[in-house]
Amino acid sequence: MSPRSAEVNEELRRRSRERLLQATVELVDARGYEATKLGDIADRAGSARGLVSYYFPGKRQLLQSAVHRLMHLTLQEALEREPRSVDGRERLARAIDAIMGLAVDRPVLMRTHMAGILQADGFVQCPEQQQLAALLRDTVERYGCADVDAEYPLLRALLMGAVFAVLLPGAPMPRARLRAELFQRYGLDWGLGTPPDGGPPGGGPSVVPAQSSKSSK
């Protein structure tokens, strides 16, 4: 039997890493962070336990990579779903709804992720985070921002803040209210993306004016 090519080995490593990331999402979402052990993740992924430490320096880093992958896949699916759109405003609306939707659909996972980011290790730069960043940055560019370098990190921060506000124990903010604030900032019609039931909060207009000019299109 001839040895595997470098390309085949790379593909096998990619699939192995993705199985570990998917297993992490599933287990932490179901059990919580503390109850999920690295050995459980490896077993769920069908991988040798030593592979976890080979790919990731620790459980926090593994979780952040797993959630960044989930966010990237969720955002990608939202942007590419039918009917597909090249309109920058529609794509930005979908992006906002996709990221905020994760806070509602997977509260345990996203709350654990946010808590990890706020700890000493902070924000993990990993391939999954870079893929997410590239897609979100492309969304900002297609929206038509004059200064993408300035607007992209601001949008990222606003989305992280909105997710945190939805998940805040004891005093969560309504998703619709947070969505309305973000849509107002970017001058997005309420009906774009995937609007929640009930219309704009407080019976506001379905078309909200931008607070400042963000789009050149």
Side-chain angles (χ1 to χ4, degrees):
M1 180 181 294
S2 60
R4 292 194 297 256
S5 67
E7 292 79 7
V8 170
N9 285 331
E10 180 62 27
E11 177 63 15
L12 291 173
R13 285 192 291 267
R14 184 189 67 79
R15 292 181 183 180
S16 176
R17 181 185 175 95
E18 288 188 350
R19 286 196 301 269
L20 289 170
L21 295 171
Q22 183 61 33
T24 302
V25 165
E26 293 170 359
L27 290 177
V28 173
D29 196 38
R31 302 178 183 178
Y33 180 77
E34 296 299 333
T36 301
K37 307 304 180 185
L38 292 177
D40 299 333
I41 293 171
D43 292 344
R44 180 67 165 257
S47 301
R49 297 193 174 193
L51 280 180
V52 179
S53 57
Y54 174 78
Y55 288 120
F56 306 97
K59 190 163 74 166
R60 279 290 175 192
Q61 292 84 352
L62 170 57
L63 176 64
Q64 281 203 41
S65 294
V67 175
H68 284 142
R69 174 178 179 267
L70 173 65
M71 293 171 71
H72 173 252
L73 294 176
T74 301
L75 178 56
Q76 186 176 56
E77 180 181 357
L79 295 177
E80 298 304 318
R81 74 167 185 265
E82 299 294 339
R84 296 181 65 181
S85 175
V86 297
D87 179 76
R89 290 160 56 84
E90 169 65 21
R91 291 177 68 85
L92 181 57
R94 291 188 186 189
I96 292 171
D97 286 336
I99 300 302
M100 291 186 63
L102 284 172
V104 177
D105 297 338
R106 295 180 180 264
V108 173
L109 184 71
M110 295 304 292
R111 188 176 290 117
T112 305
H113 174 62
M114 297 299 293
I117 290 177
L118 293 174
Q119 290 187 351
D121 291 339
F123 198 70
V124 172
Q125 299 286 344
C126 60
E128 291 73 25
Q129 186 275 328
Q130 291 169 356
Q131 289 177 322
L132 171 63
L135 190 55
L136 191 58
R137 182 184 174 88
D138 178 71
T139 301
V140 171
E141 187 171 358
R142 289 173 184 247
Y143 169 70
C145 290
D147 189 348
V148 176
D149 289 337
E151 193 62 37
Y152 158 68
L154 179 57
L155 174 62
R156 182 182 64 191
L158 290 171
L159 288 173
M160 290 177 65
V163 169
F164 181 85
V166 170
L167 297 172
L168 185 63
M173 282 284 291
R175 177 186 174 187
R177 171 59 65 186
L178 293 164
R179 183 184 196 266
E181 291 295 326
L182 283 169
F183 272 43
Q184 182 179 16
R185 185 183 191 283
Y186 290 101
L188 302 175
D189 299 350
W190 181 260
L192 294 175
T194 309
D197 295 334
S206 60
V207 178
V208 289
Q211 290 181 337
S212 59
S213 177
K214 297 291 178 186
S215 177
S216 62
K217 294 184 180 180

